[in-house]
Amino acid sequence: MDDTKLFECARPEFITRLNVTRIEDQGMLQVNLQTESQHLTLHGYEALADSVSDMLMAELIVISEVLNTGQEFGTIRIECWVDESYSVYWCDSANFEQT
């Protein structure tokens, strides 16, 4: 597996804006995350929806593109550290911008 880090947010930098939009009848979600210096748009399904509350509470979030996994879908890994627990979620695509 090859990882490319797309986004990292650790306290004291917080997510300043998070929007979730359902963009297709089949249930695809679009999640927009923004910090003071970064903007990231994620696309995915149920696992992405499950990650939203952890992203809001996390001390550390790392979002990476993972290649050569053999997975057909879900190549974007979302890692969240909340209190002393670690969670990982997967989504289908990500677009990153420095602001």
Side-chain angles (χ1 to χ4, degrees):
M1 286 193 313
D2 300 321
D3 293 36
T4 302
K5 188 186 304 181
L6 301 174
F7 178 90
E8 183 171 347
C9 179
R11 292 191 184 193
E13 182 179 33
F14 292 95
I15 292 175
T16 57
R17 173 174 266 171
L18 187 141
N19 295 324
V20 179
T21 306
R22 186 170 307 278
I23 59 171
E24 293 182 4
D25 291 340
Q26 296 87 2
M28 179 170 269
L29 298 176
Q30 176 177 301
V31 174
N32 294 299
L33 301 170
Q34 188 170 342
T35 67
E36 289 183 11
S37 61
Q38 304 172 87
H39 180 258
L40 183 70
T41 302
L42 303 168
H43 292 94
Y45 292 93
E46 292 305 314
L48 182 57
D50 293 341
S51 72
V52 170
S53 63
D54 274 357
M55 286 191 279
L56 285 172
M57 297 184 306
E59 287 94 33
L60 175 64
I61 303 166
V62 176
I63 299 176
S64 306
E65 183 175 24
V66 182
L67 302 174
N68 303 320
T69 63
Q71 295 181 164
E72 186 174 339
F73 299 102
T75 59
I76 305 298
R77 181 178 59 213
I78 304 165
E79 298 172 282
C80 296
W81 286 263
V82 178
D83 295 322
E84 294 184 14
S85 66
Y86 167 81
S87 300
V88 64
Y89 305 94
W90 294 88
C91 70
D92 296 327
S93 68
N95 299 314
F96 174 76
E97 296 176 22
Q98 286 289 127
T99 54

